[in-house]
Short mmCIF file of all heavy atoms in Angstrom, two decimals:
data_model
loop_
_atom_site.label_atom_id
_atom_site.label_comp_id
_atom_site.label_asym_id
_atom_site.label_seq_id
_atom_site.Cartn_x
_atom_site.Cartn_y
_atom_site.Cartn_z
N LEU K 198 21.21 -39.52 -2.91
CA LEU K 198 21.78 -38.46 -3.77
C LEU K 198 21.94 -38.92 -5.22
O LEU K 198 22.30 -40.07 -5.47
CB LEU K 198 23.18 -38.11 -3.27
CG LEU K 198 23.40 -36.92 -2.36
CD1 LEU K 198 24.88 -36.83 -2.01
CD2 LEU K 198 22.92 -35.63 -2.99
N LYS K 199 21.77 -38.00 -6.14
CA LYS K 199 22.08 -38.32 -7.54
C LYS K 199 23.60 -38.22 -7.73
O LYS K 199 24.30 -37.59 -6.92
CB LYS K 199 21.36 -37.36 -8.47
CG LYS K 199 21.89 -35.94 -8.43
CD LYS K 199 21.13 -35.08 -9.43
CE LYS K 199 21.78 -33.72 -9.57
NZ LYS K 199 21.00 -32.78 -10.35
N PHE K 200 24.12 -38.82 -8.80
CA PHE K 200 25.54 -38.67 -9.09
C PHE K 200 25.82 -37.20 -9.38
O PHE K 200 25.00 -36.53 -10.04
CB PHE K 200 25.96 -39.55 -10.27
CG PHE K 200 26.02 -41.00 -9.87
CD1 PHE K 200 25.11 -41.91 -10.38
CD2 PHE K 200 26.97 -41.44 -8.96
CE1 PHE K 200 25.16 -43.24 -10.00
CE2 PHE K 200 27.02 -42.77 -8.56
CZ PHE K 200 26.11 -43.68 -9.08
N SER K 201 26.93 -36.72 -8.87
CA SER K 201 27.32 -35.32 -8.98
C SER K 201 26.60 -34.42 -7.97
O SER K 201 26.90 -33.23 -7.86
CB SER K 201 27.12 -34.80 -10.41
OG SER K 201 27.77 -33.58 -10.57
N GLY K 202 25.63 -35.00 -7.25
CA GLY K 202 24.90 -34.23 -6.24
C GLY K 202 25.82 -33.84 -5.08
O GLY K 202 26.91 -34.38 -4.93
N THR K 203 25.35 -32.90 -4.27
CA THR K 203 26.22 -32.36 -3.21
C THR K 203 25.74 -32.75 -1.82
O THR K 203 24.54 -32.75 -1.53
CB THR K 203 26.28 -30.81 -3.26
OG1 THR K 203 24.97 -30.30 -3.47
CG2 THR K 203 27.20 -30.33 -4.34
N LEU K 204 26.73 -33.05 -0.99
CA LEU K 204 26.47 -33.26 0.44
C LEU K 204 27.01 -32.02 1.15
O LEU K 204 28.12 -31.57 0.85
CB LEU K 204 27.21 -34.53 0.88
CG LEU K 204 27.23 -34.95 2.35
CD1 LEU K 204 28.19 -34.18 3.23
CD2 LEU K 204 25.83 -34.89 2.98
N VAL K 205 26.20 -31.48 2.06
CA VAL K 205 26.63 -30.34 2.86
C VAL K 205 26.48 -30.72 4.33
O VAL K 205 25.45 -31.25 4.72
CB VAL K 205 25.72 -29.10 2.61
CG1 VAL K 205 26.20 -27.91 3.42
CG2 VAL K 205 25.66 -28.76 1.13
N SER K 206 27.52 -30.46 5.11
CA SER K 206 27.42 -30.75 6.54
C SER K 206 27.93 -29.56 7.33
O SER K 206 29.06 -29.11 7.13
CB SER K 206 28.24 -32.00 6.85
OG SER K 206 28.24 -32.22 8.24
N PHE K 207 27.08 -29.06 8.23
CA PHE K 207 27.46 -27.91 9.07
C PHE K 207 27.73 -28.43 10.47
O PHE K 207 26.90 -29.11 11.07
CB PHE K 207 26.31 -26.90 9.11
CG PHE K 207 26.60 -25.70 9.97
CD1 PHE K 207 27.19 -24.57 9.43
CD2 PHE K 207 26.31 -25.71 11.33
CE1 PHE K 207 27.49 -23.47 10.22
CE2 PHE K 207 26.60 -24.61 12.13
CZ PHE K 207 27.19 -23.49 11.57
N SER K 208 28.92 -28.13 11.01
CA SER K 208 29.27 -28.60 12.36
C SER K 208 30.01 -27.51 13.11
O SER K 208 30.90 -26.87 12.56
CB SER K 208 30.20 -29.82 12.27
OG SER K 208 29.52 -30.91 11.73
N PRO K 209 29.69 -27.36 14.39
CA PRO K 209 30.40 -26.34 15.17
C PRO K 209 31.81 -26.72 15.59
O PRO K 209 32.60 -25.86 15.95
CB PRO K 209 29.51 -26.12 16.40
CG PRO K 209 28.49 -27.17 16.38
CD PRO K 209 28.52 -27.90 15.09
N THR K 210 32.18 -28.02 15.58
CA THR K 210 33.52 -28.38 16.06
C THR K 210 34.34 -29.10 15.00
O THR K 210 33.81 -29.79 14.12
CB THR K 210 33.45 -29.30 17.31
OG1 THR K 210 33.05 -30.61 16.90
CG2 THR K 210 32.51 -28.77 18.37
N ILE K 211 35.66 -28.97 15.15
CA ILE K 211 36.60 -29.61 14.22
C ILE K 211 36.56 -31.14 14.38
O ILE K 211 36.75 -31.87 13.41
CB ILE K 211 38.02 -29.06 14.48
CG1 ILE K 211 38.14 -27.68 13.82
CG2 ILE K 211 39.11 -29.97 13.96
CD1 ILE K 211 38.12 -27.68 12.31
N GLU K 212 36.28 -31.60 15.60
CA GLU K 212 36.21 -33.06 15.79
C GLU K 212 35.12 -33.65 14.90
O GLU K 212 35.30 -34.69 14.27
CB GLU K 212 35.90 -33.40 17.27
CG GLU K 212 37.05 -33.21 18.23
CD GLU K 212 37.31 -31.74 18.57
OE1 GLU K 212 36.45 -30.88 18.27
OE2 GLU K 212 38.39 -31.46 19.11
N GLN K 213 33.99 -32.96 14.81
CA GLN K 213 32.90 -33.44 13.93
C GLN K 213 33.34 -33.41 12.47
O GLN K 213 33.05 -34.32 11.70
CB GLN K 213 31.65 -32.57 14.11
CG GLN K 213 30.98 -32.71 15.47
CD GLN K 213 29.98 -31.57 15.68
OE1 GLN K 213 30.35 -30.40 15.64
NE2 GLN K 213 28.73 -31.91 15.93
N VAL K 214 34.05 -32.34 12.11
CA VAL K 214 34.48 -32.17 10.71
C VAL K 214 35.40 -33.33 10.31
O VAL K 214 35.26 -33.90 9.22
CB VAL K 214 35.21 -30.82 10.53
CG1 VAL K 214 35.90 -30.75 9.17
CG2 VAL K 214 34.24 -29.67 10.70
N LYS K 215 36.33 -33.69 11.20
CA LYS K 215 37.28 -34.76 10.87
C LYS K 215 36.54 -36.08 10.66
O LYS K 215 36.75 -36.77 9.66
CB LYS K 215 38.32 -34.91 11.98
CG LYS K 215 39.37 -33.81 11.93
CD LYS K 215 40.28 -33.83 13.13
CE LYS K 215 41.24 -35.01 13.14
NZ LYS K 215 42.13 -34.95 14.32
N LYS K 216 35.66 -36.40 11.60
CA LYS K 216 34.93 -37.68 11.48
C LYS K 216 34.09 -37.69 10.20
O LYS K 216 34.00 -38.70 9.52
CB LYS K 216 34.04 -37.90 12.70
CG LYS K 216 34.84 -38.24 13.95
CD LYS K 216 33.91 -38.43 15.13
CE LYS K 216 34.71 -38.64 16.40
NZ LYS K 216 33.94 -38.40 17.61
N THR K 217 33.47 -36.57 9.88
CA THR K 217 32.63 -36.50 8.68
C THR K 217 33.48 -36.64 7.43
O THR K 217 33.12 -37.36 6.48
CB THR K 217 31.84 -35.17 8.66
OG1 THR K 217 31.13 -35.05 9.89
CG2 THR K 217 30.86 -35.12 7.52
N THR K 218 34.62 -35.96 7.41
CA THR K 218 35.51 -36.04 6.25
C THR K 218 36.00 -37.46 6.02
O THR K 218 36.00 -37.97 4.89
CB THR K 218 36.70 -35.07 6.44
OG1 THR K 218 36.18 -33.76 6.56
CG2 THR K 218 37.66 -35.13 5.26
N PHE K 219 36.40 -38.13 7.11
CA PHE K 219 36.87 -39.52 6.95
C PHE K 219 35.74 -40.42 6.45
O PHE K 219 35.95 -41.29 5.61
CB PHE K 219 37.46 -40.04 8.26
CG PHE K 219 38.67 -39.26 8.73
CD1 PHE K 219 38.97 -39.13 10.07
CD2 PHE K 219 39.51 -38.62 7.81
CE1 PHE K 219 40.08 -38.39 10.49
CE2 PHE K 219 40.61 -37.88 8.21
CZ PHE K 219 40.90 -37.76 9.56
N ALA K 220 34.53 -40.19 6.95
CA ALA K 220 33.38 -40.99 6.49
C ALA K 220 33.11 -40.72 5.01
O ALA K 220 32.78 -41.64 4.24
CB ALA K 220 32.15 -40.67 7.32
N LEU K 221 33.27 -39.49 4.58
CA LEU K 221 33.06 -39.14 3.17
C LEU K 221 34.12 -39.82 2.30
O LEU K 221 33.81 -40.35 1.22
CB LEU K 221 33.10 -37.62 2.96
CG LEU K 221 31.89 -36.86 3.50
CD1 LEU K 221 32.18 -35.37 3.62
CD2 LEU K 221 30.67 -37.10 2.61
N GLN K 222 35.36 -39.83 2.79
CA GLN K 222 36.43 -40.49 2.02
C GLN K 222 36.16 -41.99 1.92
O GLN K 222 36.29 -42.58 0.85
CB GLN K 222 37.78 -40.25 2.71
CG GLN K 222 38.27 -38.82 2.55
CD GLN K 222 39.44 -38.49 3.47
OE1 GLN K 222 39.80 -39.25 4.36
NE2 GLN K 222 40.03 -37.32 3.26
N GLU K 223 35.76 -42.60 3.04
CA GLU K 223 35.48 -44.05 3.03
C GLU K 223 34.35 -44.38 2.07
O GLU K 223 34.32 -45.44 1.48
CB GLU K 223 35.07 -44.51 4.42
CG GLU K 223 36.24 -44.94 5.29
CD GLU K 223 35.84 -45.01 6.75
OE1 GLU K 223 34.67 -45.33 7.04
OE2 GLU K 223 36.72 -44.71 7.59
N ASN K 224 33.41 -43.46 1.92
CA ASN K 224 32.26 -43.71 1.05
C ASN K 224 32.46 -43.14 -0.36
O ASN K 224 31.50 -42.95 -1.11
CB ASN K 224 30.99 -43.15 1.69
CG ASN K 224 30.50 -44.04 2.81
OD1 ASN K 224 29.87 -45.06 2.57
ND2 ASN K 224 30.84 -43.66 4.04
N GLU K 225 33.71 -42.87 -0.69
CA GLU K 225 34.13 -42.46 -2.04
C GLU K 225 33.43 -41.21 -2.55
O GLU K 225 33.04 -41.14 -3.72
CB GLU K 225 33.94 -43.63 -3.01
CG GLU K 225 34.91 -44.75 -2.69
CD GLU K 225 34.69 -45.98 -3.52
OE1 GLU K 225 33.57 -46.13 -4.05
OE2 GLU K 225 35.62 -46.77 -3.65
N PHE K 226 33.25 -40.26 -1.65
CA PHE K 226 32.80 -38.94 -2.13
C PHE K 226 34.02 -38.23 -2.70
O PHE K 226 35.16 -38.60 -2.42
CB PHE K 226 32.19 -38.14 -0.98
CG PHE K 226 30.74 -38.43 -0.76
CD1 PHE K 226 30.35 -39.56 -0.05
CD2 PHE K 226 29.76 -37.58 -1.26
CE1 PHE K 226 29.00 -39.84 0.16
CE2 PHE K 226 28.42 -37.85 -1.06
CZ PHE K 226 28.04 -38.98 -0.35
N TYR K 227 33.78 -37.21 -3.47
CA TYR K 227 34.85 -36.50 -4.18
C TYR K 227 34.74 -35.00 -3.88
O TYR K 227 33.68 -34.54 -3.44
CB TYR K 227 34.70 -36.77 -5.68
CG TYR K 227 35.92 -36.48 -6.50
CD1 TYR K 227 37.12 -37.12 -6.23
CD2 TYR K 227 35.86 -35.55 -7.52
CE1 TYR K 227 38.24 -36.84 -6.99
CE2 TYR K 227 36.98 -35.28 -8.30
CZ TYR K 227 38.17 -35.93 -8.02
OH TYR K 227 39.27 -35.65 -8.76
N GLU K 228 35.80 -34.25 -4.15
CA GLU K 228 35.79 -32.80 -3.92
C GLU K 228 35.33 -32.47 -2.50
O GLU K 228 34.37 -31.72 -2.29
CB GLU K 228 34.84 -32.12 -4.91
CG GLU K 228 35.40 -31.98 -6.30
CD GLU K 228 36.09 -30.66 -6.50
OE1 GLU K 228 35.38 -29.68 -6.78
OE2 GLU K 228 37.33 -30.62 -6.35
N ILE K 229 35.99 -33.08 -1.53
CA ILE K 229 35.61 -32.88 -0.13
C ILE K 229 36.37 -31.66 0.40
O ILE K 229 37.60 -31.66 0.43
CB ILE K 229 35.96 -34.12 0.73
CG1 ILE K 229 35.33 -35.37 0.10
CG2 ILE K 229 35.50 -33.93 2.16
CD1 ILE K 229 35.86 -36.68 0.67
N ASN K 230 35.64 -30.62 0.76
CA ASN K 230 36.27 -29.38 1.23
C ASN K 230 35.51 -28.82 2.42
O ASN K 230 34.28 -28.89 2.46
CB ASN K 230 36.24 -28.31 0.12
CG ASN K 230 37.12 -28.72 -1.05
OD1 ASN K 230 38.31 -28.95 -0.90
ND2 ASN K 230 36.51 -28.83 -2.22
N THR K 231 36.28 -28.25 3.36
CA THR K 231 35.65 -27.62 4.53
C THR K 231 36.05 -26.15 4.60
O THR K 231 37.21 -25.81 4.34
CB THR K 231 36.11 -28.34 5.82
OG1 THR K 231 35.67 -29.69 5.75
CG2 THR K 231 35.52 -27.69 7.07
N TYR K 232 35.09 -25.30 4.93
CA TYR K 232 35.33 -23.85 5.02
C TYR K 232 34.77 -23.30 6.32
O TYR K 232 33.83 -23.84 6.89
CB TYR K 232 34.63 -23.11 3.87
CG TYR K 232 34.99 -23.61 2.51
CD1 TYR K 232 34.17 -24.51 1.84
CD2 TYR K 232 36.17 -23.19 1.89
CE1 TYR K 232 34.51 -24.97 0.57
CE2 TYR K 232 36.52 -23.65 0.63
CZ TYR K 232 35.68 -24.54 -0.02
OH TYR K 232 36.02 -24.99 -1.25
N GLU K 233 35.35 -22.19 6.73
CA GLU K 233 34.78 -21.42 7.83
C GLU K 233 34.68 -19.98 7.37
O GLU K 233 35.61 -19.46 6.75
CB GLU K 233 35.70 -21.49 9.06
CG GLU K 233 35.15 -20.68 10.21
CD GLU K 233 36.11 -20.57 11.39
OE1 GLU K 233 37.30 -20.85 11.21
OE2 GLU K 233 35.64 -20.18 12.47
N LEU K 234 33.57 -19.34 7.66
CA LEU K 234 33.41 -17.93 7.29
C LEU K 234 33.42 -17.07 8.55
O LEU K 234 32.76 -17.41 9.53
CB LEU K 234 32.05 -17.71 6.62
CG LEU K 234 31.92 -18.02 5.15
CD1 LEU K 234 30.56 -17.56 4.68
CD2 LEU K 234 32.99 -17.35 4.34
N ILE K 235 34.14 -15.98 8.50
CA ILE K 235 34.09 -15.03 9.61
C ILE K 235 33.63 -13.69 9.05
O ILE K 235 34.27 -13.14 8.16
CB ILE K 235 35.47 -14.91 10.29
CG1 ILE K 235 35.81 -16.28 10.90
CG2 ILE K 235 35.46 -13.82 11.35
CD1 ILE K 235 37.15 -16.37 11.54
N LYS K 236 32.48 -13.23 9.54
CA LYS K 236 31.88 -12.01 8.99
C LYS K 236 32.18 -10.83 9.92
O LYS K 236 32.00 -10.94 11.14
CB LYS K 236 30.37 -12.21 8.87
CG LYS K 236 29.67 -11.05 8.23
CD LYS K 236 28.20 -11.32 8.04
CE LYS K 236 27.42 -11.08 9.30
NZ LYS K 236 25.97 -11.14 9.12
N ARG K 237 32.65 -9.74 9.34
CA ARG K 237 32.88 -8.53 10.14
C ARG K 237 31.97 -7.42 9.63
O ARG K 237 31.98 -7.09 8.45
CB ARG K 237 34.33 -8.06 10.00
CG ARG K 237 35.29 -8.93 10.75
CD ARG K 237 36.48 -8.13 11.22
NE ARG K 237 37.26 -7.60 10.12
CZ ARG K 237 38.27 -6.76 10.30
NH1 ARG K 237 38.59 -6.34 11.50
NH2 ARG K 237 38.96 -6.32 9.27
N LYS K 238 31.18 -6.86 10.55
CA LYS K 238 30.32 -5.75 10.17
C LYS K 238 31.05 -4.45 10.49
O LYS K 238 31.81 -4.40 11.46
CB LYS K 238 29.02 -5.84 10.97
CG LYS K 238 27.95 -4.90 10.52
CD LYS K 238 26.66 -5.15 11.27
CE LYS K 238 25.62 -4.15 10.86
NZ LYS K 238 24.39 -4.28 11.63
N PHE K 239 30.82 -3.43 9.68
CA PHE K 239 31.51 -2.16 9.88
C PHE K 239 30.58 -1.06 10.36
O PHE K 239 29.45 -0.94 9.89
CB PHE K 239 32.18 -1.71 8.57
CG PHE K 239 33.50 -2.38 8.36
CD1 PHE K 239 33.58 -3.73 8.09
CD2 PHE K 239 34.67 -1.66 8.47
CE1 PHE K 239 34.80 -4.36 7.92
CE2 PHE K 239 35.89 -2.28 8.29
CZ PHE K 239 35.97 -3.62 8.01
#
Side-chain angles (χ1 to χ4, degrees):
L198 263 179
K199 70 178 189 189
F200 287 112
S201 194
T203 44
L204 175 282
V205 181
S206 175
F207 179 91
S208 293
T210 74
I211 281 291
E212 286 76 13
Q213 291 166 302
V214 169
K215 283 172 71 178
K216 288 179 185 161
T217 306
T218 300
F219 298 150
L221 288 164
Q222 288 168 351
E223 270 164 32
N224 284 281
E225 292 174 339
F226 274 80
Y227 198 59
E228 284 267 277
I229 306 167
N230 294 302
T231 298
Y232 305 98
E233 179 188 16
L234 278 188
I235 296 177
K236 184 176 81 171
R237 286 211 296 173
K238 190 174 177 185
F239 278 69

